[in-house]
Amino acid sequence: MILVTGATGNMGRHLVRQLREAGAAVRAVTRNASKAEGMASAGVEVAVGDLTEPAFLDRVFTGVDALFTLLEVGDPKAVLAAAKRAGVKRVVLVTSLLAQTLPNGFVGQLSLGCEQVMRDSGLPGTVLRPWEFATNTLAWADEIRGGGIVRKPSAGLPSPVIDPADVAAIAAKALLETGHEGRTYALTGPAELLPQDKIRVLSAILGRALHFEENGDPEKLEQIRLTPDQVSEGFGVCFMTSPGVLSTVENVLGRPPRTYQQWAASNANAFR
């Protein structure tokens, strides 16, 4: 049995589907049963509860031998301790590539701390460090639907955004196969993009003119300067220096990572 935390999120949904397609038994954790509608009919065991509650935490690991967990899910020490008590044999932990590129930032330090907790637990684990998710662009959806002009304080820096489905595909391999234990995978998409590049892609897919404008809000720009790692997702713009395009996804999966165009085409309805 594979326990998937964050099962109804942008990455978790892909992972649950991929694991089921591979024939694995999956228990999906969610705090909101309505978000997991359809999973049970696909043969997924849905566990509704909060991983910060000790009683639920111990109960949900019954019969589990592999775990997928995220940086922001529950208390890492408590989750991994429960996994160890249950005899879990394999863990996949998703943190952030900021552990490498901005290790002294808030997210970088949180990532490194969480990774250390897993190492200290003694559990055989694989760390996935993705860069910015393509889904961060969903922060623009209201503006695109409302008028077609996306206004943000800055256009930020080029970013090799990654489709969460690719992160899920690597997680599935690490959960189902041997040979990934002890590895740390730094993950990016196939091309560095600015917001203007993404706007051009969305314009072509939606069939209407869209525009990106910098409003230069001084208060927001100062917030960006002080905590670029904490505000990037909310703006849908990356304000941190790119790690460059990395080959890890292709090396592990044997195929190129999905492009931003592919992600946008699959999620076009969110912008309509």
Side-chain angles (χ1 to χ4, degrees):
M1 174 71 74
I2 299 173
L3 184 68
V4 177
T5 70
T8 58
N10 291 320
M11 185 170 26
R13 284 188 175 278
H14 290 291
L15 177 59
V16 168
R17 175 182 54 78
Q18 291 170 17
L19 291 173
R20 285 300 298 141
E21 288 174 352
V26 180
R27 182 176 297 154
V29 178
T30 180
R31 287 181 291 184
N32 187 339
S34 65
K35 291 185 176 181
E37 289 180 2
M39 285 189 178
S41 62
V44 176
E45 182 183 326
V46 178
V48 181
D50 191 332
L51 290 170
T52 63
E53 297 178 1
F56 175 75
L57 189 57
D58 278 329
R59 186 170 68 251
V60 81
F61 272 102
T62 302
V64 169
D65 51 23
L67 167 67
F68 171 84
T69 191
L70 305 162
L71 178 66
E72 63 269 27
V73 172
D75 173 3
K77 285 186 179 180
V79 171
L80 291 168
K84 190 166 187 177
R85 289 195 298 272
V88 166
K89 299 177 178 65
R90 189 172 295 165
V91 177
V92 172
L93 169 67
V94 179
T95 61
S96 169
L97 193 45
L98 292 173
Q100 175 180 317
T101 63
L102 197 65
N104 294 322
F106 176 78
V107 177
Q109 288 187 337
L110 194 63
S111 296
L112 290 169
C114 194
E115 292 171 13
Q116 188 61 50
V117 167
M118 186 176 75
R119 284 191 290 271
D120 291 344
S121 74
L123 290 165
T126 306
V127 174
L128 309 186
R129 290 178 174 175
W131 188 246
E132 181 196 6
F133 286 159
T135 46
N136 285 3
T137 316
L138 294 172
W140 303 349
D142 287 344
E143 290 170 286
I144 288 175
R145 288 194 299 262
I149 300 176
V150 176
R151 295 183 176 91
K152 300 300 173 189
S154 167
L157 298 169
S159 176
V161 295
I162 186 168
D163 188 329
D166 280 342
V167 183
I170 290 177
K173 286 185 71 70
L175 288 163
L176 295 170
E177 302 175 356
T178 60
H180 302 279
E181 297 85 353
R183 294 178 178 267
T184 297
Y185 292 128
L187 308 173
T188 73
E192 294 188 300
L193 304 174
L194 284 165
Q196 295 90 332
D197 301 316
K198 299 173 191 175
I199 284 290
R200 281 193 289 272
V201 169
L202 291 168
S203 292
I205 288 171
L206 298 175
R208 62 189 181 94
L210 304 175
H211 305 279
F212 184 91
E213 294 182 359
E214 295 181 281
N215 60 28
D217 182 323
E219 183 177 333
K220 295 296 185 183
L221 287 172
E222 179 63 9
Q223 185 183 6
I224 290 165
R225 186 185 71 80
L226 292 173
T227 57
D229 55 334
Q230 295 180 62
V231 299
S232 288
E233 183 174 355
F235 289 126
V237 178
C238 182
F239 302 114
M240 292 155 302
T241 302
S242 166
V245 172
L246 305 178
S247 61
T248 316
V249 172
E250 186 162 10
N251 293 343
V252 176
L253 297 181
R255 61 160 176 82
R258 282 167 54 88
T259 64
Y260 182 78
Q261 287 89 337
Q262 289 173 300
W263 175 86
S266 299
N267 292 272
N269 285 340
F271 301 96
R272 290 195 172 107

